[in-house]
Amino acid sequence: MYRGIAKMFKKLLCKLGIHRPLTNHEFRFVDRVSGKIVFIAECPCGKKWLTDSLSKWFGFRVLRD
């Protein structure tokens, strides 16, 4: 039952435009300006994001086309 509620909560976050938690982080490149490592991650609705954090909930993110 808890898993079903958690899954509904994640989909609700995506509908509200929050798109968290991010999973399946893959190394992409190192930003030359800030020196941060940039990853590609996926949200529960299937969109791919560029993020600077391995955290599921935090970090800067940009939609990847």
Side-chain angles (χ1 to χ4, degrees), residues 2-60:
Y2 173 74
R3 289 181 189 242
I5 293 171
K7 196 172 190 179
M8 286 178 13
F9 178 70
K10 291 175 187 177
K11 288 188 178 194
L12 176 64
L13 288 176
C14 284
K15 278 190 171 185
L16 294 173
I18 298 173
H19 298 287
R20 300 292 182 168
L22 298 176
T23 56
N24 301 331
H25 289 76
E26 296 177 20
F27 173 80
R28 184 67 177 160
F29 59 89
V30 176
D31 182 31
R32 292 185 181 198
V33 176
S34 67
K36 292 184 178 182
I37 299 173
V38 178
F39 302 93
I40 294 179
E42 189 174 337
C43 71
C45 66
K47 290 185 179 178
K48 302 251 182 195
W49 297 86
L50 293 175
T51 181
D52 64 351
S53 174
L54 282 173
S55 171
K56 291 181 174 188
W57 296 97
F58 302 106
F60 179 75

